[in-house]
C-alpha cells in the first residue's frame, strides 16, 4: 500500500482547476513520468514557485473545489509522479475525486473550519502529515510541526478503503472479478 502522508505543501486558494494542476499543453506526453516537471506550473498564487516549492512534498492541503475544470486522469497522474499521494480539502470536483481514487491516491475531505485551523496553525511552519486509517472505519489526519501537533478526523467509506488497499482501480477490479 502507498504511504499517505509526509511533508505538506499548503496551497491557500479555492477552485484550483485541472489546467492549473497540469497544463493542457502537456497532455500529449507519452508517459506519466513525462508530466513530472510540469505539476502546478500555471498555478498563480502569491509566494508559490512550482520549481522550488513542490520538491519533497507528499501532501497538499488546500481550499474547496480542488480539481475543478476539465475531467482528465493526467491531473492525478501528475500528482502521483511527483510523490503526492494525498490531498486534503473541504471538497473536490466529483470526477477529479473519483479519478484520484481510481489512480490509488487519497483525496481526504475535511470540513472548512478544520481546514481553516490547519492553515492558521501550520501553514507557516515545516509541517508533516500522518494519515491513520483504522480497521474500525475511523480515520484521522495528524499534523506535526516541531512540538505542536493536532489531529482532524475524516470519513472513508468501505469502497474507498478497498480501492486504496488494492492501490488503484485495476488492482481492485482484479481482486473482485
Amino acid at each position: 500500500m502507498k504511504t499517505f502522508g509526509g511533508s505538506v505543501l499548503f496551497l491557500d486558494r479555492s477552485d484550483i482547476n485541472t489546467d492549473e494542476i497540469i497544463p493542457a499543453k502537456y497532455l500529449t506526453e507519452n508517459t506519466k513520468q513525462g508530466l513530472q516537471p510540469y505539476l502546478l506550473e500555471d498555478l498563480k498564487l502569491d509566494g508559490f514557485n512550482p520549481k522550488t516549492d513542490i520538491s519533497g512534498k507528499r501532501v497538499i492541503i488546500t481550499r474547496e473545489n480542488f480539481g475543478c475544470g476539465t475531467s482528465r486522469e493526467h491531473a492525478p497522474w501528475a500528482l502521483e509522479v511527483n510523490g503526492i499521494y494525498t490531498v486534503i480539502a473541504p471538497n473536490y470536483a466529483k470526477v477529479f475525486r473519483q479519478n484520484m481514487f481510481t489512480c490509488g491516491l487519497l483525496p481526504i475531505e475535511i470540513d472548512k473550519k478544520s481546514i481553516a485551523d490547519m492553515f492558521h496553525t501550520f501553514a507557516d511552519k515545516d509541517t508533516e502529515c500522518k494519515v491513520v486509517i483504522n480497521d474500525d472505519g475511523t480515520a484521522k489526519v495528524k499534523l506535526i510541526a516541531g512540538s505542536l501537533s493536532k489531529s482532524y478526523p475524516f470519513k472513508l467509506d468501505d469502497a474507498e478503503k478497498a480501492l486504496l488497499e488494492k492501490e488503484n482501480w485495476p488492482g481492485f477490479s482484479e481482486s473482485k472479478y
Side-chain angles (χ1 to χ4, degrees), residues 1 3 5 13 18 28 34 38 48 62 79 93 101 114-115 119 131 143 161 165 171 177:
M1 193 158 142
T3 301
R13 205 189 93 198
T18 54
T28 59
Y38 310 114
F48 174 69
T62 190
L79 293 169
F101 275 116
S114 294
I115 294 289
F119 275 95
V131 177
L143 298 183
K161 189 174 173 189
E165 287 170 354
Y177 306 106

Side-chain angles (χ1 to χ4, degrees), residues 21-124:
I21 296 169
I22 188 68
K25 63 187 172 189
Y26 301 117
L27 300 184
T28 59
E29 290 294 330
N30 291 328
T31 65
K32 287 181 185 181
Q33 198 61 40
L35 301 171
Q36 191 270 333
Y38 310 114
L39 178 67
L40 300 171
E41 178 181 274
D42 286 352
L43 180 63
K44 304 298 183 225
L45 190 60
D46 287 343
F48 174 69
N49 180 344
K51 299 291 184 210
T52 59
D53 294 345
I54 295 172
S55 181
K57 301 299 192 242
R58 299 294 172 248
V59 176
I60 291 174
I61 297 177
T62 190
R63 304 294 182 164
E64 51 273 344
N65 203 27
F66 188 77
C68 58
T70 308
S71 169
R72 60 176 72 128
E73 289 81 8
H74 295 76
W77 291 346
L79 293 169
E80 180 182 22
V81 298
N82 279 278
I84 298 171
Y85 300 141
T86 308
V87 178
I88 302 169
N91 55 44
Y92 298 82
K94 185 177 179 178
V95 172
F96 180 81
R97 184 173 186 275
Q98 188 56 48
N99 283 343
M100 282 191 68
F101 275 116
T102 299
C103 293
L105 306 181
L106 179 56
I108 296 174
E109 290 184 333
I110 293 184
D111 64 272
K112 285 183 185 183
K113 184 178 177 184
S114 294
I115 294 289
D117 185 68
M118 290 176 186
F119 275 95
H120 175 76
T121 307
F122 294 99
D124 61 343

